[in-house]
Amino acid sequence: MIAFRAPPILHVGPVGWLRANLFSSVFNSVLTLLILALLAWTIPPLLNWAFFSATWAGTTREACANATGACWPYITQRMGQILYGFYDFDQRWRPDVVYTLGAAGLAWLMIPRIPHKGWAGAAMLTVYPLASYVLLTGGWFGLPVVSTERWGGLLLTLVVAAVGIVASLPLGVILALGRRSTLPVVRIFCVVFIEVWRGVPMITVLFIASSMLPLFLPEGLEFDKLARALIAIALFNAAYMAEVVRAGLQALPRGQYEGAGALGLGYWRATTFVILPQAFKIVLPGIVNNMISMFKDTSLVSIIGFFDLLGVIQTGSSDLDWAGPNTAVTGYLFAAAIYWAFCFSMSRYSAHLETQLAEGDRR
Amino acid sequence: MKLRLFFLGLVAALALASTAQAGTLDNVRKNGFLRCGVSEGQPGFSNPDQRGNWTGIDVDYCRAVAVAIFNDPNKVRFVPVSFAERFTALQAGQFDILSHNTTWTMDRDVAQGLEFIGVDFYDGQGFMVRKSLGVNSALKLDGATLCTQTGTTSELNAADFFRAHKLKYKILVYQKASEYIAAYDAGRCDAATTDRSGLAGDRLKLKNPADHILLPETISKEPLGPAVRHGDQQWGDLCRWTLFALVNAEELGVNSRNVDAQLNSTSPEIRRLLGKEGAFGQELGLANDWAYRIVKRLGNYGEIYERGVGLNTPLKLPRGLNNLWNKGGIMYAPPIR
Amino acid sequence: MARPRARHAWWRDTRWQGIALQALALVAIAAVGLWLAHNAIGALSRRHVASGFAFLGHTAGFGISQVLIPYTEESSYGQAMWVGLVNTLVVSAVSIVLSTLIGFVVGIGRLSGNWLVAKLCTVYVETLRNIPLLLQVVFWYFGVLQTLPGPRDSLALGSWIVLNNRGVYVPEVIFAPGSWLVVLALAVGLAVFFALYGWAQRLQRKTGRRPTIWWAAPLLVIGLPALALFVERVPFALSWPQLAGFSYEGGLQINSELAGLTIALSIYTAAYIAEIVRAGLVSVARGQREAAEALGLRRGLALRLVLIPQAMRVIIPPLASEYLSLTKNSSLAIAIGYPDLVAVFAGTVLNQTGQAIEILSLTMAIYLALSLVTSALMNLYNRAHALEGLG
């Protein structure tokens, strides 16, 4: 009988892990060493730039004049603009309320333990946008009007993203249904609409909103520039959303349509209660992906003269008060971090939902 | 049935669209404020401070129109708009006056739906270079790279100038003022080119303004002035004579400090300007003392100039061409009579 | 018998409902279209704005910083449009090649057995996909390339590569008048060699005997062009970048606008391509991989010979749409002054002429045409592939 022996040290524990995962062959070993060298060459200077030799305190451009690292006072001093743009100083509590309500609503929707999700969802889709609109624009209940030219920073980015997301979803569903309609006129219109929007760059759509659309509206019709941009963004994204939803509609087995018909449900009721709920479940990751693209695309409004998060950062870093060797890069990295945090958490949440839904199917 | 309803709706919409054409002045009165299209930040002409208060020549002109209508310089909403978007925005009715260092050109006046109402600043295009480049004339810019902003006459003038002198050049065109300044400051190009007054303002935004100089050549005529939409004569007259009133006031020696005393002047010209004689204000659809109000609140053209870009401002622009016609310049306004 | 007919009034009939609904939709679309057109025509004529496409023939009068087809200030607005389109196609083509290379490396890397490689590739994808492309474009242009030293303090590798904030300069081959003969000789040599090679292959398949043709390769591919070179007395020259006046002249110059846009587009799109490649590789059945291993194929060979060819069928369609969105994304050029179609035509030309409707419609039509051509090519590819699969 062979005595029980411990496995060779080379196959278990840290050494075994290293052998299996980093040095499994000559090629892999060389690759590992190359990457380690690359990391050693890039990471310390980066950390050094961002933290150790960065400027942390100060209130003016002089603080960063001789810095060899990041210029963080620029961010802290400009935080007001980054969060609100040029929103009137004494009215900034209004966006604050909107931010807080939005965060609370989202927490309610996303934390599984809190009950009454239906009510929360309904409130977030109806009461919340209305309240936000009243709060942000003013003109009601004695709130002074803050014209949209003064909105900016993260506030504007979130407004554009939220309106784009909320408006494009129903539009997208209608277009997707229309594209699968048996009525040729409806179908052709939807196909043309979707393909035209999807075939052109978003920047041309924004140009249309800012410089062409006004010519098509009757004279005297007051139409805010932000509102025009929002309509363009909603239509543009609706086309993309429609294609995502269509994928879900096509993935449903024919039996579902026939079953609904056999139950005596008409087109609209079958669609609302049988088809769409199932289709949504299939395309949820696609929808979230679309939302992430939309969130990133909001940055394009800075090209047509809005001071969104990117716009504020970009103008700020070439600004007289803060221009310096490291200001621009500090600003870009900070903005990148904010965008990344939003998009990454959306993609994580979508992955989480996907596994949850998959578990639901397995039951 | 439904079809007929639709056609009815269609006809009604068309009818509505063609009748909805009230005058600009009525609209402004109804809104309770004037909407004025200005630059996104041009020191001395239209520049917002940290708190969003606007100052400069272009801004003061709009305030003068607001005073003429409402007797209140704060009843203006300033709408910042890029060079590229300004004309379509005006055509589309996003604001009532475009006061945006806009060069008066024939094509713009005739084919682009604008009506220029006068000149509030005579300018010309110039070049700014680094001192360290050792260039002292635009004629020595052979082979240089230029930076400028899109949507201006600068692109065309630069092309004309370099072609006329058989010089090679390369031009980089940026969408926004901040981008064009950042690129010039980073050394992407050898020279920045736009109106001289604009360069003087842009220089202030560089990291080290003292390292840069303006070259002596002026390569174009740039009469800058406010513009309104083509087709509303009454509004155009009001805006035009607001500008003329400012210049006439300076010529007649009426300024914000002495305007009350001048009310008792015996000069018929001053009496007509300040509304003591004639009904010139009423003819414009305004109160008769409209010009008195303007000068009282904002001063005459000279005061606005000095406050915006004069020798006591960071821009330090001498009056030059913008002096009155009888003081060596070409600023000249038709008489009020 | 009459009862069902009585209950089914004609307006309850779905066929009639369908027709009525469509008629309604048509009228609504037409009405909205008419209304918009009416407004636009009214606005343009009231304000005396020029309209029509005659402006395309007018003299442009402005300069463009990167011109690859004949263009001067005397050229027309129409020619300026073509210059912009060519610039769009150039930046797109270069970025497509680069992003595909990076994307495949990263995508395969994410499935690597090497933990460090896999993690690094994951970080790459998760970081770059979640930051707006526009931010990346301005970061590379204003944050990185513009902070390089100016022309007089360029970073230079001899005269071979010169790098400064104006761009990258490399030597350029200048073709003198006789150079066509050399190029022709090379082409003829290659063509003859491949014909020979094909003949040899066919002969081998038919008879099993392979004729020796190796000696023909150097003779045809090297000898023939060398002869032409000798006859024409070397009709080539290298143009070296050198400091002249304000900046570098000579050589091949890649403007920093083109460089910044290319870098940003390539590494951003590569993150998406990496995900497509990974999904494609994962989709290849596990058995294929195991079979390749059982045959004793090394990992690299297995990838190259077994996995990637099969994954390509899954990879190509989304890859094509990624290329298309890259082309559309190249319009962000306007943020850094690269003269692409949007910047030149929907930017400068629009501002000089003020004809927004005509110019924006034309711009959109061009992008639409590009996307239609791409999808048509994709459909052709798919059809060819489906047939292959059947055969």
Side-chain angles (χ1 to χ4, degrees), chain A residues 21-22 28 32 35 183-185 189 198 201 203 208 215-216 218-219 240 296 299 310 329 336 339-340 343, chain C residues 21-22 29 35-36 39-40 46-47 113-115 117 126-127 129-130 132 134-135 143 268 272 328 331 364 367:
Chain A
N21 290 304
L22 297 180
N28 264 334
T32 302
I35 290 177
L183 309 174
V185 172
F189 175 75
R198 277 164 40 92
I203 187 69
I208 286 176
L215 294 174
F216 286 96
E219 199 169 352
Y240 282 83
K296 286 185 292 176
S299 58
L310 180 59
V329 179
Y339 280 112
W340 184 84
C343 295
Chain C
L21 192 72
Q22 295 192 69
I29 295 167
W35 180 66
L36 293 177
N39 285 335
R46 250 196 321 278
R47 289 169 200 149
N114 187 323
W115 181 86
V117 172
E126 291 295 351
T127 310
R129 267 200 324 176
N130 287 316
L134 179 59
L135 179 55
Y268 176 81
Y272 285 88
K328 285 184 284 173
S331 59
M364 285 176 67
Y367 278 102

Side-chain angles (χ1 to χ4, degrees), chain B residues 37-48:
Chain B
V38 293
S39 76
E40 290 169 310
Q42 178 99 12
F45 288 86
S46 46
N47 206 35

Side-chain angles (χ1 to χ4, degrees), chain C residues 306-359:
Chain C
V306 181
L307 297 178
I308 292 184
Q310 296 189 62
M312 279 321 265
R313 208 169 293 188
V314 185
I315 290 175
I316 296 256
L319 200 58
S321 75
E322 215 48 65
Y323 290 164
L324 205 56
S325 50
L326 184 150
T327 309
K328 285 184 284 173
N329 283 337
S330 71
S331 59
L332 295 184
I334 197 165
I336 58 168
Y338 175 75
D340 81 323
L341 177 65
V342 170
V344 169
F345 196 56
T348 302
V349 175
L350 197 163
N351 296 323
Q352 299 300 352
T353 61
Q355 294 189 255
I357 297 178
E358 293 85 353
I359 288 176

